[in-house]
Amino acid sequence: MSLFDSPKVTDKDKDLAQATTDDKPPMTTNVGQHVSTDQDSLKAGPRGPTLLEDFVLREKLQHFDHERIPERVVHARGAAAHGYFQVYDDSLAKYTRAKVLTEPSLTTPVFLRFSTVAGSRGSADTARDVRGFAVKFYTQEGNWDLVGNNIPVFFIQDAIKFPDLIHAVKAEPNNEIPQASSAHDTFYDFISLTPESMHMLMWIMSDRAIPRAFPMMEGFGVHTFRLVNAEGKSTFVKFHWKPALGVHSLVWDEAVKIAGQDPDFHRRNLWDSIDMGNFPEWELGVQLLAEEDEMKYDFDILDATKLWPEDLIPVRRVGKMTLNRNPDNYFSETEQVAFNTTNVVPGIDFSNDPLLQGRNFSYLDTQLSRLGSPNFHELPINRPVCPFSNNQRDAQMRHTINRGRVAYAPASLDGHSPEEATPGGKEGYVSYPARVEGNKVRERSPSFGDHYGQAKLFWNSQTPPEKEHIVKALQFELSKVEAKEVRQRMLGHLGKINDMLHAQVALAIGEPPKTSRQTVTPDGTADSPAETQVLAEAMSETTASGGLQRTRGLSMEEDQPKSAKGRMVAILAAPGVAADQVAAMQKALKAEDALGVVVGPHLGQIEGTSGRVEAKKTLANTSSVHFDAVYVPGGAASTQTLRRMGDAIHFIDEAYKHGKAIAATAEGVELVKAAGTGGLISGRGGMLGAGVFLVDGGVDDVAKEFIEAIAQHRFHNRQPNMVVA
Ligand code: HDE
């Protein structure tokens, strides 16, 4: 096997390919001619016409003219990072021969691209949408791509419906409105005629669809795959990614404001976290199901609109992925990376899920037109790290210089023909010999028929505030739908999931409720959380799915790791601020890997009582929605100045209304009390003051509780008319 036939990505290759400019190389044309200037074109006299001969001008313009490639037909907007994966032990060897999943000594490089689905490349990060969660593992046995999402189920059961789904959700074709939003007629027209989408609809209307940050999302392989062990025995598997920081979301009011103020909110957070050394981490989880149990449950494991409830099949955590390096170049890496569901390694195989089967065609196909050549696997970001070699030749943009005259097999003429793996041998990829028989039919299996059971399971498993947010999302989305018959069709489906959900959405869109068993407030907002809970339970008397009424793993409020790591805390300060308190709070936050950012009336140095602080943000260029919590330090003059500033008062009110942790020390307490919500809060604790800490003393008196409160993410139990979600 020659080196040319089997390129390996070495650091040297990468340096060459990426042409990093640390050592200021001479500026040349693309063929190496040293350029004297590329700032003036070659003209016949300084005021004369430009000469056709000017190869510098021509090359520069021509390259620019062709810079764009087609954006992804879905998942166009993305952000990515490099990292590594390591399995904890060899316990999965019983189920799979994949080395990446069984050899704890191996550190496998990964590249992970997050994305939204519906919006164009330039759309906002915080749109209500599914997030792509695509991981490329560069294993010693070839690339394994686990091309997943942050939601464990999908809208449709058969890949043949995918173009319809996407045409329905993307902007309408006559006027390209709306961008990155599902709140429009064509989406709900399709959804209302596609009952299998109801389970996914519940997820997408929940706050899962507006994550706080990429490192606070779960990832899911979605489909049922197979693990195959060294003896050839297969076990069904679902893959999960569980974030070390827990799953946490924005609320809708934050998401829409952030979309305007910082459309790059998620990609910026990912970049900054890695830059600061706060490396995002996930554990890889597997749910395993023996072949013989394929038909054990009342859902079909081949149906991608169904999950495997964790109460029935627990998630076993088997390894950890860490992202520790930002890409060097967005286009070469994040844009040109090509994921493909058929990139699997020995020991990992497919199930007959008809959605997965269709995907197995679509990815390579789309890369051919998106990246323009069947040689896209030679791009540095797509190349495996193990040797690769076959008889494929030529095509646009071929990099490899294949030697010899043999490009076929069998061949005896020279030694350059790559060798196949021994049939049945250990090293090669062998498809699992699943038995297949059946008549050719265009039919859906009757076992795919229950479209509401798991939608109910999801609804039942949510906490009251989560249910309220789903209701509000549907009220928002369906009230934007102009076709009345579409709104009504949607209500019909909601009524099959939960009566109260139906009633509250009905009220918001001016339709009569289905039953009298509901208590809705006149303005259509949700009931009190406690009442919602009681009603939801009362109205879900039938078993939802899999013999379960509710299950673990679906609520974001329950069983989540709590951590202040990576959290952003606004510190409101003006001249005269107690600089020692600012420094003490920043230090306390840093100890927990959180960041305290001074927000002042202006940028730069602010003179305090005991030194200076540096404002990195201003009240004009940021707002509370960019932060997880607010701290107001002491300093009488600072407080007096801020009290006169509507932006500062609004900052605190808004943070309170979004359920965020707030702390104030010494004179800072006066500022919080001056805020509209401040009048409600006294001291610490209590119903209205949960997560709010107002102390006369210094940072030591409050830092611990405040940081614990930040880790709680959000306090929903604030006065209902003071909550904006
Ligand atoms: Fe995709 N999907 N998809 N998809 N998908 C693409 O491939 C497709 C589906 C997912 O960051 C495309 O390179 C079909 C489910 C992610 O580069 C395309 C069907 C899941 C990404 C495509 C599905 C996904 C894509 C567009 C129905 C979660 C972004 C550009 C059968 C398990 C990857 C591209 C990245 C991208 C087809 C459904 C995840 C067209 C036909 C289900 C994360 O090939």
Side-chain angles (χ1 to χ4, degrees), residues 72 75 113 147-149 159 162 222 339 355 359 363 366-367:
R72 287 167 173 80
H75 296 265
R113 182 176 181 271
V147 196
N149 279 345
F162 191 64
V222 177
F339 294 94
L355 200 68
R359 292 181 74 200
Y363 287 72
T366 204
Q367 318 300 358

Side-chain angles (χ1 to χ4, degrees), residues 259-281:
Q261 293 173 7
D262 184 8
D264 305 305
F265 187 69
H266 285 149
R267 57 166 67 170
R268 189 188 306 283
N269 166 277
L270 178 68
W271 183 277
D272 289 348
S273 301
I274 294 175
D275 219 32
M276 288 188 295
N278 270 349
F279 298 147
E281 289 175 344

Side-chain angles (χ1 to χ4, degrees), residues 294-354:
E294 181 172 359
M295 302 307 215
K296 186 171 167 187
Y297 298 106
D298 68 350
F299 51 86
D300 194 322
I301 63 158
L302 301 184
D303 174 359
T305 67
K306 306 295 185 306
L307 48 81
W308 299 356
E310 290 189 27
D311 277 5
L312 297 181
I313 307 174
V315 176
R316 177 167 158 179
R317 295 170 187 238
V318 297
K320 192 162 86 179
M321 171 171 68
T322 306
L323 299 182
N324 63 354
R325 183 161 65 88
N326 281 316
D328 290 313
N329 183 278
Y330 185 89
F331 181 83
S332 304
E333 301 180 89
T334 311
E335 194 58 14
Q336 291 201 116
V337 65
F339 294 94
N340 187 345
T341 50
T342 54
N343 290 351
V344 285
V345 291
I348 299 175
D349 208 326
F350 314 111
S351 71
N352 288 343
D353 172 349

Side-chain angles (χ1 to χ4, degrees), residues 71-75 78 113-115 117 130-134 146-149 151 153-156 158-163 220-223 304 334-335 337-339 341 354-367 370:
E71 67 173 34
R72 287 167 173 80
V73 60
V74 281
H75 296 265
R113 182 176 181 271
F114 302 101
S115 48
V117 177
V130 196
R131 298 299 183 286
F133 195 114
L146 186 53
V147 196
N149 279 345
I151 288 179
V153 288
F154 202 62
F155 288 106
I156 48 171
D158 190 315
I160 202 164
K161 291 164 81 77
F162 191 64
F220 302 92
V222 177
H223 310 279
T334 311
E335 194 58 14
V337 65
F339 294 94
T341 50
L355 200 68
L356 176 59
Q357 301 274 324
R359 292 181 74 200
N360 283 347
F361 161 75
S362 196
Y363 287 72
L364 173 60
D365 188 43
T366 204
Q367 318 300 358
R370 191 170 71 81

Side-chain angles (χ1 to χ4, degrees), residues 171-470:
E172 297 182 11
N174 50 349
N175 53 17
E176 246 213 356
I177 299 174
Q179 175 62 238
S181 166
S182 52
H184 60 123
D185 285 44
T186 55
F187 179 65
Y188 283 100
D189 189 23
F190 175 84
I191 292 293
S192 64
L193 296 170
T194 311
E196 72 208 55
S197 63
M198 289 308 140
H199 182 200
M200 176 76 164
L201 184 74
M202 289 292 103
W203 283 84
I204 202 87
M205 289 301 121
S206 79
D207 292 346
R208 295 258 182 174
I210 41 173
R212 160 67 183 85
F214 293 136
M216 296 179 204
M217 298 189 321
E218 278 178 302
F220 302 92
V222 177
H223 310 279
T224 297
F225 290 88
R226 286 173 187 278
L227 294 181
V228 185
N229 72 11
E231 286 74 49
K233 185 172 162 28
S234 144
T235 305
F236 291 113
V237 63
K238 289 257 194 197
F239 292 108
H240 296 245
W241 292 108
K242 299 276 189 188
L245 299 183
V247 187
H248 302 290
S249 282
L250 301 169
V251 293
W252 180 238
D253 188 55
E254 289 176 289
V256 289
K257 288 173 175 165
I258 294 170
Q261 293 173 7
D262 184 8
D264 305 305
F265 187 69
H266 285 149
R267 57 166 67 170
R268 189 188 306 283
N269 166 277
L270 178 68
W271 183 277
D272 289 348
S273 301
I274 294 175
D275 219 32
M276 288 188 295
N278 270 349
F279 298 147
E281 289 175 344
W282 287 262
E283 282 187 300
L284 179 69
V286 291
Q287 285 176 297
L288 299 171
L289 182 71
E291 251 322 83
E292 44 286 14
D293 290 338
E294 181 172 359
M295 302 307 215
K296 186 171 167 187
Y297 298 106
D298 68 350
F299 51 86
D300 194 322
I301 63 158
L302 301 184
D303 174 359
T305 67
K306 306 295 185 306
L307 48 81
W308 299 356
E310 290 189 27
D311 277 5
L312 297 181
I313 307 174
V315 176
R316 177 167 158 179
R317 295 170 187 238
V318 297
K320 192 162 86 179
M321 171 171 68
T322 306
L323 299 182
N324 63 354
R325 183 161 65 88
N326 281 316
D328 290 313
N329 183 278
Y330 185 89
F331 181 83
S332 304
E333 301 180 89
T334 311
E335 194 58 14
Q336 291 201 116
V337 65
F339 294 94
N340 187 345
T341 50
T342 54
N343 290 351
V344 285
V345 291
I348 299 175
D349 208 326
F350 314 111
S351 71
N352 288 343
D353 172 349
L355 200 68
L356 176 59
Q357 301 274 324
R359 292 181 74 200
N360 283 347
F361 161 75
S362 196
Y363 287 72
L364 173 60
D365 188 43
T366 204
Q367 318 300 358
L368 293 177
S369 66
R370 191 170 71 81
L371 298 169
S373 143
N375 288 320
F376 64 82
H377 63 280
E378 294 187 323
L379 295 170
I381 195 66
N382 293 325
R383 271 197 251 171
V385 293
C386 62
F388 63 97
S389 173
N390 54 46
N391 289 324
Q392 292 160 23
R393 292 291 183 273
D394 308 350
Q396 274 116 334
M397 301 299 146
R398 184 69 169 178
H399 287 200
T400 310
I401 302 173
N402 299 105
R403 286 185 171 157
R405 57 179 172 157
V406 165
Y408 56 88
S412 64
L413 290 186
D414 66 25
H416 291 291
S417 188
E419 228 173 299
E420 293 171 350
T422 333
K426 291 259 180 217
E427 71 280 21
Y429 187 92
V430 183
S431 291
Y432 179 69
R435 191 171 165 71
V436 180
E437 61 181 8
N439 299 329
K440 284 194 246 176
V441 286
R442 287 194 187 274
E443 274 176 25
R444 199 77 57 89
S445 167
S447 55
F448 282 33
D450 168 24
H451 303 322
Y452 301 98
Q454 291 209 349
K456 283 190 211 171
L457 186 72
F458 181 75
W459 170 263
N460 294 346
S461 304
Q462 303 300 294
T463 60
E466 288 174 309
K467 285 180 177 157
E468 290 190 16
H469 293 186
I470 294 172

